[in-house]
Amino acid sequence: MKLAADEERMLAGEFGPGVQRAIELLVAVGEAYEAEKMIDISSSHILSPEMQFWNTGQLSHWAQELVAESVEGAESFRVPVTINPIFLEPKVAERLGYPESYIEEMRQSLAYGMETYGRLGVIPTYTCCPFYVYPLRYGEHTGGAESLVVLFNNSVLGVRVNRESGPTALATALTGKTPLYGMHLPENRHGQALIELKDDLDPRSFTYADYNALSYYVGKRVVDKIPVFLGLPQNVSITQLKYLSAPLGVSAGIPMFHAVGITPEAPTVEAALGGKKAEMTVEVGKEEINITFEELCSATEPRINYVFLGCPHVTITEMKEIATLLQGKKVKPDVLFVVGTAEPIRLLAQEMRLVDIIQDSGAMVVSGMCSAGSFLRRGVPKGFKAGVVATNSAKAAHYLKVSGVQVWFGTMQKCITAAIRGTWEVV
Ligand code: F3S
């Protein structure tokens, strides 16, 4: 791999051991992908502190050492860096019944991680939707992890970013570099699979959960091919596109999709496919959407005790919708209802008195937390073993299912009704 003068100096340790180790990792990745050179990135998005600091795995040790060396060398991130949510807010962990020792351990590692990243200059977004607060420009090259961020940035914004791991994202942040391969090259950004909606499906009446189900189903069918959605409404909103993006990150391993007439690299089908023929066509109708709703539910009993909305973090539009549905209502006392978002959105919602309406009902508005990740990281808490969760997120439902949690997947409206009644309406 051809390295520029500053990259050679990083490799020689001139910028300290942290940067040296980071560039070594990126060179190894670049060589594995036969990248001809490194490129400068304009920003990066790294994973939450627990990913690096609250884990006994080898990668975690590597990242801890890397960050410690960087901090000792008084280095800072070389580009603006945003950060993903933490896995569990201590006050939510308490309500979920995690043991005090566990909550204390989490508190300490979080405090250490946040302080350390703070010293390196992170922008403390703590959200999987950094696009709410740190805007990016079409065509920018960035580094970063978190499948939703990668999918949304590549597809909806036309930003160029590979689906990186926690350590490589951190390495891009410390060096401001990434190897030139994958999604950074225009020829790898073309669609390969056409997604056609059958006549019995009217996307103009899609709920967020329908967008989720469409995306989840398509991901399972295309596996590693970039899908090109046809027939979605031209006025599709950013909130709807967020729900179209997220499930593709768990039901498939792809970093990008196109929606013809909507996403910036797909003004036409031909442009989306790069002038080539599609390798496959997937048809989706009512039956496929209904099957996906059923597939995402693993619960067998209607009683629920945890409802969460906000995977990915809710927009201000959703916050308003949730407040409208909850106005004057009360959540059943034994149900924990969490609405997850980014802190700037929570502040806006507070200003608009939406937080008051939601919290008056007994629900909690929590910023900076990934609701779905907690169970994945540490399993189901002991006191929660009879717990049943309801959510409108296919990504969360997928994670919860694989963590062995009983889950109901449905619309926002259905989740809110379930929170008020304490039971899921099984039809
Ligand atoms: Fe965000 Fe966590 Fe869901 S990072 S997309 S809330 S799984």
Side-chain angles (χ1 to χ4, degrees):
M1 221 178 140
K2 205 163 172 286
L3 294 184
D6 60 336
E7 293 151 7
E8 293 285 9
R9 287 169 60 204
M10 288 181 193
L11 207 52
E14 231 180 274
F15 299 94
V19 170
Q20 184 180 30
R21 222 191 252 236
I23 196 89
E24 279 169 3
L25 175 67
L26 295 177
V27 168
V29 170
E31 282 172 353
Y33 283 97
E34 298 180 348
E36 84 190 50
K37 61 176 186 173
M38 293 277 175
I39 51 169
D40 291 331
I41 52 166
S42 59
S43 65
S44 190
H45 181 79
I46 60 172
L47 293 183
S48 70
E50 303 104 308
M51 273 312 258
Q52 323 285 10
F53 297 103
W54 188 25
N55 185 326
T56 51
Q58 222 181 341
L59 284 182
S60 173
H61 284 312
W62 184 91
Q64 282 185 36
E65 284 168 14
L66 176 70
V67 170
E69 284 166 3
S70 306
V71 171
E72 275 163 29
E75 287 156 13
S76 64
F77 291 133
R78 279 187 159 59
V79 286
V81 174
T82 52
I83 188 165
N84 231 30
I86 63 169
F87 280 117
L88 207 49
E89 233 285 323
K91 63 178 187 254
V92 176
E94 277 167 29
R95 285 281 307 268
L96 283 173
Y98 281 93
E100 189 45 50
S101 56
Y102 166 86
I103 295 173
E104 193 41 45
E105 184 198 341
M106 178 179 70
R107 248 190 251 277
Q108 284 176 17
S109 61
L110 268 179
Y112 174 69
M114 286 168 158
E115 207 266 329
T116 310
Y117 282 143
R119 284 167 67 182
L120 290 169
V122 78
I123 303 168
T125 49
Y126 294 107
T127 180
C128 45
C129 303
F131 35 86
Y132 295 165
V133 285
Y134 188 81
L136 295 172
R137 177 180 59 76
Y138 176 88
E140 267 184 271
H141 293 270
T142 73
E146 169 53 49
S147 61
L148 165 69
V149 177
V150 170
L151 277 154
F152 193 93
N153 283 354
N154 274 318
S155 316
V156 180
L157 304 179
V159 166
R160 297 176 177 204
V161 55
N162 281 320
R163 190 169 165 169
E164 292 175 20
S165 66
T168 58
L170 194 52
T172 65
L174 285 164
T175 58
K177 305 279 181 179
T178 197
L180 180 62
Y181 75 99
M183 303 313 288
H184 293 285
L185 297 167
E187 61 270 29
N188 295 330
R189 298 175 64 83
H190 298 139
Q192 296 148 308
L194 277 183
I195 314 301
E196 293 177 353
L197 304 186
K198 294 181 190 167
D199 289 344
D200 63 359
L201 218 50
D202 180 5
R204 286 169 306 176
S205 58
F206 268 11
T207 62
Y208 300 138
D210 290 328
Y211 273 103
N212 258 208
L214 170 65
S215 170
Y216 192 78
Y217 175 78
V218 165
K220 289 190 108 172
R221 293 291 310 277
V222 300
V223 186
D224 58 356
K225 296 186 178 26
I226 296 179
V228 177
F229 290 91
L230 298 168
L232 294 179
Q234 300 290 300
N235 64 348
V236 63
S237 69
I238 285 291
T239 305
Q240 289 165 327
L241 286 169
K242 180 190 68 159
Y243 282 107
L244 185 65
S245 302
L248 287 169
V250 289
S251 63
I254 47 175
M256 184 172 187
F257 67 89
H258 297 281
V260 174
I262 296 163
T263 55
E265 290 167 68
T268 61
V269 186
E270 294 71 31
L273 294 171
K276 298 202 186 109
K277 272 210 156 106
E279 294 172 33
M280 68 188 289
T281 299
V282 177
E283 291 194 349
V284 190
K286 247 188 193 144
E287 191 188 345
E288 288 77 15
I289 296 289
N290 291 343
I291 289 171
T292 307
F293 267 75
E294 282 167 26
E295 194 190 321
L296 285 165
C297 294
S298 61
T300 49
E301 56 168 312
R303 186 183 54 82
I304 53 144
N305 44 12
Y306 184 20
V307 176
F308 72 81
L309 304 174
C311 170
H313 282 168
V314 299
T315 57
I316 195 70
T317 312
E318 289 172 275
M319 198 71 94
K320 182 123 200 319
E321 291 163 350
I322 295 165
T324 305
L325 289 166
L326 278 173
Q327 178 119 41
K329 313 257 174 50
K330 287 283 175 218
V331 169
K332 198 131 201 238
D334 55 355
V335 173
L336 171 63
F337 185 174
V338 172
V339 179
T341 192
E343 180 61 8
I345 301 291
R346 191 193 68 77
L347 287 171
L348 270 181
Q350 196 168 13
E351 193 69 23
M352 294 165 74
R353 302 195 57 77
L354 303 175
V355 171
D356 288 345
I357 296 170
I358 293 170
Q359 300 206 144
D360 283 351
S361 76
M364 292 167 89
V365 176
V366 178
S367 64
M369 184 186 93
C370 163
S371 320
S374 56
F375 297 120
L376 264 189
R377 304 295 298 160
R378 283 287 168 129
V380 185
K382 275 208 178 74
F384 194 71
K385 57 181 178 298
V388 181
V389 181
T391 182
N392 72 337
S393 163
K395 182 174 176 180
H398 172 93
Y399 279 157
L400 291 165
K401 258 183 89 170
V402 300
S403 306
V405 177
Q406 286 206 50
V407 59
W408 290 110
F409 167 75
T411 63
M412 174 192 283
Q413 171 122 32
K414 199 161 174 181
C415 289
I416 291 176
T417 305
I420 293 164
R421 291 189 185 153
T423 53
W424 187 261
E425 193 194 349
V426 186
V427 281

